[in-house]
């Protein structure tokens, strides 16, 4: 399937219902690379959102299908400005950075520039226009990464406490949960001291 065919097909499928979007994720003729490219489609935010939704489905259920786009996904992450896509991208990152991530992800993750990833995720966490869902996902990603980079813990605690001051009930709940986990966490590796 080419990019234009996918762009034309996504809104039609999305009007049918969510299961139809999921069926696109089950179609192994649609590459994760193509879906990822469409996530940056600027002419229609909804189409980019649908592509991100399907890409998240693939990343969470079929790591082997996501792997061809893994490096590009990480390197282009800072370019994603669509808040709806950021939500799905952070959900993908939660799978990749989770301590029990699939082996394929653990191996690929160990090979990437993780400092750039930390910078991007912190940037999304503190940006004033970031949605609550993305902020909440960023908290979990940074929690997972703090096992490797101990310095993240203090900064994340401060940011969560700041966000919780005027945050929604959902942000309060996730923030409290992540703070409790941070307080119990011991770093596995701390290359920054």
């Amino acid at each position: 399937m080419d990019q234009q065919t996918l762009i034309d097909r996504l809104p039609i499928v999305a009007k049918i219902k969510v299961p139809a979007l999921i069926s696109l994720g089950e179609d192994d003729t649609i590459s994760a690379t193509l879906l990822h490219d469409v996530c940056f489609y600027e002419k229609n935010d909804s189409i980019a959102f649908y592509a991100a939704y399907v890409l998240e489905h693939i990343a969470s259920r079929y790591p082997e299908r996501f792997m061809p786009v893994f490096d590009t996904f990480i390197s282009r992450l800072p370019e994603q400005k669509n808040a709806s896509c950021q939500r799905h991208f952070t959900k993908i990152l939660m799978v990749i950075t989770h301590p029990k991530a699939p082996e394929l992800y653990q191996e690929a993750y160990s090979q990437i520039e993780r400092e750039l990833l930390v910078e991007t995720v912190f940037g999304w966490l503190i940006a004033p226009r970031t949605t609550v869902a993305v902020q909440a996902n960023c908290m979990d990603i940074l929690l997972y990464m703090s096992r490797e980079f101990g310095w993240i813990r203090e900064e994340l605690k401060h940011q969560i406490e700041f966000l919780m001051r005027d945050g929604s009930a959902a942000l309060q709940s996730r923030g409290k949960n992540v703070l409790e986990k941070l307080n119990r966490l011991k770093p596995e590796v701390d290359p920054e001291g």
Side-chain angles (χ1 to χ4, degrees), residues 29-41:
T29 65
I30 300 174
S31 77
T33 302
L34 175 60
L35 283 163
H36 184 254
D37 288 343
V38 176
C39 290
F40 294 91
Y41 188 67

Side-chain angles (χ1 to χ4, degrees), residues 97-168:
T97 60
H98 193 279
K100 295 181 180 177
E103 270 188 54
L104 284 172
Y105 290 157
Q106 290 182 35
E107 175 62 31
Y109 175 76
S110 73
Q111 304 298 316
I112 64 167
E113 183 67 35
R114 293 179 301 283
E115 291 80 7
L116 176 62
L117 180 58
V118 170
E119 182 180 314
T120 300
V121 175
F122 258 122
W124 288 356
L125 175 66
I126 64 174
R129 292 193 175 118
T130 300
T131 64
V132 170
V134 172
Q135 287 177 320
N137 293 345
C138 287
M139 289 179 196
D140 281 337
I141 296 161
L142 291 166
L143 169 68
Y144 300 151
M145 295 185 79
S146 73
R147 295 172 187 273
E148 179 181 6
F149 300 106
W151 63 266
I152 290 175
R153 285 187 278 151
E154 259 332 287
E155 185 61 30
L156 182 56
K157 283 181 188 178
H158 293 302
Q159 291 302 326
I160 291 172
E161 289 165 355
F162 177 79
L163 291 169
M164 286 175 63
R165 288 183 197 163
D166 298 317
S168 67

